[in-house]
Amino acid sequence: TRPRDMLELAQGLDAGRPLRALVASAWYGNLVLILAQYLVVMARSLRVAFPLPGCAVVESLLIAALTAWLIAQLPTLDALGKGAAQLSFASVIVILAICARHTRNGPPPVVARDASAAAVAASLTMITFAMITSKLFLNVRREMRDPREARKTLRYGIAAFTCVYVVVVFLSGPEPPRFLLDSVGRHSTDARVAAALLYCHVAVSYAINQNVLARTLERYRGHTLSRRGWALMTAALTLSSLLIAILVPVFSDLVAVIGALTSGPLGFAMPALLFDLATRESDVKRRRKGVISLVLFTVVLTIAGTTGAIVRTVKDWEAQERSAPGVRGFFCAEQAGSMS
């Protein structure tokens, strides 16, 4: 039946209200937080490509939000085109190639060194965030011309990104920068080219995720929105993600929060519970053991990871404040480095 997303899949499997509520909260929460994270990256990239006076946190975020909202006016994922997605992926390869050419010569980041259990838990949630690459699989399959190719596409896509991840880990060395473009000179041509490409790549990703979220909300309302209604809805979503980005303008901390609160449930517990519903006629004992194991793992990961993410965020802000009092977040890492 090609359900559009996890919510429609849960409804098609006659999931109970508690499970549907859990799926909805993880699904909506993940997409909203992801949009905020994209704005943080776009704003930081903008400041590298076109240096703005002072820290310019709010200004750069506003420009990023306006760009994302304009792209989001394209009505479907298909309107972005396969070519745009391919160019977006190619830009990532070019960015990594540029960064690999340079040793890290930017300002030292403000780092709160911590080997506590909370820090380890926060790191695990960041790994979980990177792992969950298939949450939009059903949405993508829905719009594919030949849905039979969906499994192969997913398989090749995850394999490709995993290879990229491994290469990045080896190229980054034992002390990787907190932001990718910190590995390139601040005012060099290479830095500006890489920043511009990263800005465009993330803008496309933002449009895809916001489109999925808006379509889900539109379906929940029960009717297709007019062009004006679509513009208002995407504006409201952009504003909500902008407020979160202003509140937590730190990429690593925001990633830890997303991984703890939403990526774990979407990647482990939700698929297991939906699989349990879809295979209820099979071997109950064997199925139950796997489902229970994944659900318990998710509960532990979510509780420990959320605690660790909060502790990490507080410590990062304290370290930033000690290094450069009054400086607003790691957007101003170069300023903090010069002031410390």
Side-chain angles (χ1 to χ4, degrees):
T1 58
R2 292 167 62 186
R4 293 177 177 84
D5 50 42
M6 281 192 182
L7 289 175
E8 193 167 276
L9 177 59
Q11 293 169 356
L13 293 172
D14 296 324
R17 179 171 294 181
L19 179 54
R20 292 203 307 271
L22 286 174
V23 173
S25 60
W27 176 255
Y28 289 122
N30 180 267
L31 289 174
V32 171
L33 290 172
I34 285 287
L35 295 181
Q37 177 233 346
Y38 285 152
L39 290 183
V40 169
V41 176
M42 289 174 66
R44 183 71 183 270
S45 301
L46 181 66
R47 292 187 59 252
V48 175
F50 305 100
L52 301 174
C55 287
V57 178
V58 176
E59 293 86 343
S60 56
L61 280 171
L62 286 173
I63 295 172
L66 179 60
T67 303
W69 178 78
L70 289 173
I71 297 177
Q73 300 317 297
L74 295 172
T76 65
L77 296 179
D78 187 59
L80 292 171
K82 181 179 179 181
Q86 292 174 336
L87 287 174
S88 179
F89 181 75
S91 68
V92 174
I93 304 302
V94 175
I95 293 166
L96 293 176
I98 291 175
C99 293
R101 292 176 50 196
H102 296 265
T103 56
R104 191 182 183 285
N105 51 12
V110 181
V111 178
R113 300 192 179 279
D114 189 359
S116 65
V120 173
S123 299
L124 286 175
T125 61
M126 296 177 73
I127 295 173
T128 303
F129 171 87
M131 288 173 55
I132 308 306
T133 57
S134 58
K135 71 176 186 295
L136 298 182
F137 173 60
L138 296 176
N139 306 80
V140 173
R141 185 183 69 166
R142 179 80 179 185
E143 300 213 15
M144 291 183 69
R145 293 181 180 178
D146 187 358
R148 293 173 298 179
E149 297 292 320
R151 290 188 180 183
K152 182 173 68 174
T153 300
L154 177 67
R155 196 160 53 238
Y156 291 160
I158 292 180
F161 273 103
T162 301
C163 290
V164 172
Y165 290 158
V166 172
V167 170
V168 170
V169 168
F170 280 106
L171 292 178
S172 298
E175 295 184 359
R178 302 198 74 167
F179 183 63
L180 179 64
L181 299 182
D182 286 343
S183 61
V184 188
R186 282 287 174 187
H187 304 295
S188 67
T189 301
D190 281 354
R192 292 182 177 180
V193 171
L197 289 174
L198 184 59
Y199 188 90
C200 295
H201 162 71
V202 177
V204 171
S205 299
Y206 184 102
I208 291 174
N209 280 267
Q210 180 163 274
N211 183 283
V212 169
L213 178 56
R215 287 299 180 196
T216 304
L217 292 172
E218 182 184 55
R219 191 170 68 253
Y220 177 78
R221 289 173 57 89
H223 66 274
T224 302
L225 294 174
S226 63
R227 183 177 293 274
R228 181 181 178 183
W230 178 265
L232 290 175
M233 175 180 285
T234 53
L237 293 174
T238 302
L239 179 60
S240 64
S241 59
L242 175 62
L243 293 176
I244 296 173
I246 292 174
L247 181 64
V248 188
V250 186
F251 176 77
S252 57
D253 292 340
L254 195 49
V255 166
V257 171
I258 297 171
L261 291 177
T262 64
S263 294
L266 284 175
F268 304 115
M270 303 304 173
L273 292 170
L274 294 175
F275 177 77
D276 183 56
L277 287 175
T279 58
R280 62 190 71 172
E281 302 299 329
S282 61
D283 183 357
V284 175
K285 182 181 293 187
R286 183 178 181 182
R287 186 181 76 247
R288 287 288 179 181
K289 287 182 179 179
V291 171
I292 292 173
S293 298
L294 283 172
V295 170
L296 289 177
F297 171 75
T298 303
V299 171
V300 173
L301 178 68
T302 300
I303 294 175
T306 302
T307 303
I310 294 173
V311 172
R312 174 195 175 98
T313 301
V314 171
K315 289 186 176 181
D316 279 347
W317 279 104
E318 290 175 347
Q320 178 76 29
E321 183 66 22
R322 287 195 301 270
S323 175
V327 172
R328 174 66 171 165
F330 285 91
F331 266 88
C332 305
E334 68 276 12
Q335 181 176 343
S338 64
M339 294 173 66
S340 61

